Amino acid sequence: MIYIKKLSRIYHFLGGIAFALILIASVAFLVITGTILESLTESHLFASHFIYGNPLFIAFLILFFVNILFSSLRRWPFKLHHIPFLITHLGLLMILSGTFIKILYGVQGNMGIVEGGGSSRIFIPNSYTIQIEKRAEADRNKIFSTSLKINRTLFGGIDPHFSSFPTHSPFFNLDVQLLEYAPHSEETLETWVKNNHLIIAGIAPLQLQEINIDSSFTLTPQRKMRLHGFEPIWNLYALRNIGEKEAEKIASENKPAIVFMQNSQKDICFFACTADGVMHKEEFPSKGLKSLFILDQGFAGYGVQTSFLELETPVTAKQQSRPPSKKLEENLPKITLYFTENGVSDKITLTYDRYATGLKWPVLKGKYRVRFQPEYKEIPYHLRLRNARQINYPHSGQAFSYESDILIENEEATLSMNHVYETWDGYRFYLANIFPADESAIKQVQIVVNHDPVKYILTYPGAIILSLGILLLFWWWPYKNKGNKNKGTG
Amino acid sequence: MNRFLWILYILLFVGCSENPKPPHSWTLISGREGTPLYRIKAPNSWNCTHTDSKLLADTMKALCEFNIIEEDQTIRITIHNFPSNSINERIPPMAQIARWKRQFEELNPTHTLITPQSYCGFLGHYFEGTGRIKGNDITMMGWALQIAPEHYSTLSYSTAGFSQSECKQMRSDVTIKVIGSPDMIQKYKRQIKQFAKSFELIEEIPVRS
């Protein structure tokens, strides 16, 4: 009996107005805190990690559900004048149920598509996975892939004890362990110059030199080399921080000569002057990879090549840890992974590839290639991007609108800033970004994809029912009669 | 008075209505190997002639030709493609445009326009010029397009679902050239631009993930 009495008290407390007020005050406090945090850090992700994605916030939503349900059940046996109250609470329960189901089964992600290409894959922002790929032994064009999810800690970091044994073929012999983690880093792709040395495949490294140019541009070459066995002997120079004109002059005065020059912005300028005096010039910017070639589908790495003479250098990635930014969206974590398979091991450091568009790096002597990227999901719709454009105000370079013409499962549609495309089953596609905005290169768009599986079943009907209930609370005839009776007796 | 106002309202709405757009349909265009490679959306009223597949190996021959005929005037639209074995073999779009400009005996510099273009995986330039060709006043519109370097690189390897020869065709350069009298071009300019902007490969270009 005592237990039943206690349970009854708990039941009435959970369904009571006092508990409701405690919940409302607590959630209000959390929301205010989240707003302040977001304002201070200028980071929605920061607020999301600490407040809105916090298990405590989810727990409050569950308690709201319990409070609303119990407060309704406490009215049993139901009478006619309970109807508006019950309708209102039913609407609230439906909205909360829709919220929970969306959290568990909903989809929210980004899709990046290049003009001419297509995708049915979305990336879940701020999630971490290691994408691992391996070729089939029988058919080297067939590639198997798996992804290992890295869980986040409560405050947005990475689970430092991550360790994984992929369980499905052909990865089940592979063991992956996390050795190091840094919350923010910067990655530089190095090509011709590494550690202050010019690296050309097949030639010993050459240290970059800073030279003083006087009136004479005739210089002793740092190396002489014969290319392809039959060519003339080329004079090779590796220089830094001289002007392009000076570098070109050195090449022409010492022909046949090859000059690699690194300028102050770390761009590489290549000059080759043949014995006949024909000058070839090529620039390799420090940002981006020009003339990239892929070795063995990336399983043997990558290289960059000059168009004249076809000199090659391997591409390597250099990562440096940086102090993390308060704006969590800007952070690019870095991880060092240890791969082991059948007694053979390898180590690699990877920087988070936020859009999963960068290079995949070989490990275990090219048996696998890997990338540290967001988690991805396949959606049941395939999008193809035809054209993306920025529309400017007349006679102005200022953007008026952004639009993109896409095919969604062969149906033509135009996405724009104020025009969202929605499928019959609730998948919504929003145009979020176009890069670059002009016609100088093919454009890539970022489309935000959102899917609430119960929007039209629970959330929207719940809102309608809630509104109906509120109206009835004010104008339901039993309440009107009650009001009239009170007036009469008053 | 009420009746008059209603008639006025109806006339206002009728006056505001746009001319109905001519119906369009997709036209498939074969590549140099005779298999459908491109598609373009053209008004049904335009005449389309496809080059005999036996003659397609000659890159001087257009893949197809569209004609817009009005009384005794015609706008001629030709579509060419130029396959290449390597990215360095390609003819720069500006070189195509320079060739078109040389076709004019006199080219009006105030009516010459060159703008960059990027759509459906192609990059290049749009040219528009008015002048005299063989003694006649002519306006020329031209799109000189190349598959973007990123896509060229992807299509340089045998990609799942496409053979090497199919990849070579897909990475071809393309030109769309329009010639007609200045008045007629001006009348159909908007339709022609929409037509050219609808040009694309039938198959989606695979993207390296």
Side-chain angles (χ1 to χ4, degrees), chain A residues 179-196:
Chain A
L179 292 182
E180 278 179 15
Y181 160 72
H184 184 42
S185 66
E186 185 184 341
E187 183 179 79
T188 313
L189 294 177
E190 294 179 321
T191 56
W192 297 103
V193 174
K194 300 172 180 65
N195 289 333
N196 209 31

Side-chain angles (χ1 to χ4, degrees), chain A residues 19-63:
Chain A
F19 187 52
L21 288 173
I22 292 168
L23 286 177
I24 290 168
S26 304
V27 169
F29 172 75
L30 284 177
V31 170
I32 290 167
T33 308
T35 306
I36 293 170
L37 281 175
E38 187 167 344
S39 172
L40 287 174
T41 61
E42 295 180 13
S43 171
H44 174 73
L45 192 60
F46 193 96
S48 175
H49 279 319
F50 282 91
I51 305 294
Y52 309 117
N54 196 306
L56 183 64
F57 195 81
I58 309 293
F60 277 125
L61 291 181
I62 295 171
L63 289 172

Side-chain angles (χ1 to χ4, degrees), chain B residues 120-135:
Chain B
C120 297
F122 291 96
L123 271 180
H125 285 85
Y126 164 71
F127 164 75
E128 184 180 321
T130 300
R132 293 186 77 80
I133 296 179
K134 293 182 182 170

Side-chain angles (χ1 to χ4, degrees), chain B residues 67-208:
Chain B
N67 289 288
I68 307 170
I69 300 169
E70 204 173 73
E71 293 174 357
D72 58 343
Q73 292 195 77
T74 303
I75 293 177
R76 190 168 165 248
I77 305 172
T78 51
I79 299 176
H80 283 78
N81 84 340
F82 304 95
S84 59
N85 290 314
S86 75
I87 200 167
N88 296 323
E89 267 183 28
R90 304 197 297 178
I91 301 168
M94 288 304 291
Q96 295 279 15
I97 289 171
R99 185 170 60 81
W100 290 336
K101 285 165 93 173
R102 284 196 295 272
Q103 291 174 356
F104 284 88
E105 289 147 13
E106 288 171 35
L107 182 60
N108 188 339
T110 60
H111 288 152
T112 302
L113 175 70
I114 299 175
T115 55
Q117 298 286 290
S118 159
Y119 59 92
C120 297
F122 291 96
L123 271 180
H125 285 85
Y126 164 71
F127 164 75
E128 184 180 321
T130 300
R132 293 186 77 80
I133 296 179
K134 293 182 182 170
N136 298 316
D137 286 329
I138 294 289
T139 293
M140 183 190 293
M141 299 166 75
W143 285 261
L145 304 168
Q146 292 181 322
I147 278 285
E150 302 90 317
H151 291 322
Y152 195 98
S153 173
T154 305
L155 290 168
S156 293
Y157 300 92
S158 252
T159 315
F162 301 115
S163 64
Q164 282 209 351
S165 63
E166 283 170 336
C167 286
K168 183 180 176 182
Q169 287 295 312
M170 288 175 74
R171 58 177 196 253
S172 303
D173 296 353
V174 171
T175 60
I176 302 172
K177 187 178 169 188
V178 183
I179 286 188
S181 67
D183 293 337
M184 214 170 150
I185 293 280
Q186 191 59 34
K187 183 178 174 185
Y188 287 96
K189 185 182 280 190
R190 194 167 167 226
Q191 281 188 46
I192 292 169
K193 283 186 171 179
Q194 285 174 345
F195 161 83
K197 282 276 196 173
S198 71
F199 178 86
E200 63 181 3
L201 286 161
I202 295 172
E203 297 293 339
E204 179 183 303
I205 301 171
V207 175
R208 265 188 290 116

Side-chain angles (χ1 to χ4, degrees), chain A residues 102 124 367 456:
Chain A
K102 189 186 174 187
I124 313 301
K367 197 166 177 191
Y456 295 116

Side-chain angles (χ1 to χ4, degrees), chain A residues 408-468:
Chain A
I408 301 180
E409 298 292 327
N410 295 323
E411 186 180 323
E412 294 175 38
T414 298
L415 299 182
S416 64
M417 280 163 50
N418 296 320
H419 186 254
V420 172
Y421 183 87
E422 184 168 357
T423 62
W424 68 270
D425 54 350
Y427 276 88
R428 291 165 68 90
F429 300 91
Y430 309 75
L431 179 63
N433 196 12
I434 293 177
F435 178 81
D438 58 18
E439 306 284 304
S440 59
I442 53 165
K443 284 150 276 175
Q444 180 170 338
V445 300
Q446 188 185 352
I447 295 175
V448 173
V449 181
N450 175 278
H451 176 54
D452 183 350
V454 292
K455 181 168 63 178
Y456 295 116
I457 302 169
L458 283 176
T459 314
Y460 287 3
I464 293 168
I465 290 168
L466 172 65
S467 306
L468 177 66

Side-chain angles (χ1 to χ4, degrees), chain A residues 270-470:
Chain A
F270 165 76
F271 299 90
C273 186
T274 66
D276 304 331
V278 177
M279 182 68 69
H280 298 265
K281 287 187 272 192
E282 201 168 348
E283 194 171 311
F284 296 88
S286 58
K287 308 269 182 213
L289 292 169
K290 185 175 173 264
S291 304
L292 175 75
F293 65 88
I294 302 166
L295 293 162
D296 198 16
Q297 297 178 304
F299 288 93
Y302 307 91
V304 161
Q305 188 183 53
T306 59
S307 53
F308 180 66
L309 298 178
E310 294 180 350
L311 300 173
E312 297 172 3
T313 188
V315 175
T316 54
K318 188 176 168 186
Q319 292 89 7
Q320 282 178 303
S321 296
R322 292 272 181 259
S325 166
K326 270 191 304 187
K327 194 167 180 179
L328 297 184
E329 290 90 334
E330 291 174 354
N331 288 336
L332 291 176
K334 177 185 82 166
I335 55 174
T336 300
L337 298 171
Y338 191 72
F339 289 81
T340 311
E341 187 184 53
N342 297 331
V344 180
S345 60
D346 196 3
K347 195 168 75 169
I348 189 168
T349 300
L350 301 168
T351 293
Y352 184 62
D353 186 344
R354 186 179 282 136
Y355 301 111
T357 53
L359 302 176
K360 291 174 189 163
W361 296 98
V363 290
L364 289 173
K365 294 182 183 171
K367 197 166 177 191
Y368 299 92
R369 60 181 190 197
V370 298
R371 185 167 62 198
F372 181 29
Q373 63 176 54
E375 185 185 349
Y376 70 85
K377 276 185 185 174
E378 297 286 334
I379 60 170
Y381 291 95
H382 189 86
L383 274 70
R384 178 175 171 178
L385 176 66
R386 280 202 173 128
N387 180 25
R389 53 190 173 272
Q390 174 180 308
I391 299 169
N392 295 334
Y393 283 101
H395 311 297
S396 161
Q398 196 176 1
F400 164 71
S401 174
Y402 298 93
E403 290 180 352
S404 63
D405 298 328
I406 57 172
L407 282 175
I408 301 180
E409 298 292 327
N410 295 323
E411 186 180 323
E412 294 175 38
T414 298
L415 299 182
S416 64
M417 280 163 50
N418 296 320
H419 186 254
V420 172
Y421 183 87
E422 184 168 357
T423 62
W424 68 270
D425 54 350
Y427 276 88
R428 291 165 68 90
F429 300 91
Y430 309 75
L431 179 63
N433 196 12
I434 293 177
F435 178 81
D438 58 18
E439 306 284 304
S440 59
I442 53 165
K443 284 150 276 175
Q444 180 170 338
V445 300
Q446 188 185 352
I447 295 175
V448 173
V449 181
N450 175 278
H451 176 54
D452 183 350
V454 292
K455 181 168 63 178
Y456 295 116
I457 302 169
L458 283 176
T459 314
Y460 287 3
I464 293 168
I465 290 168
L466 172 65
S467 306
L468 177 66
I470 292 170

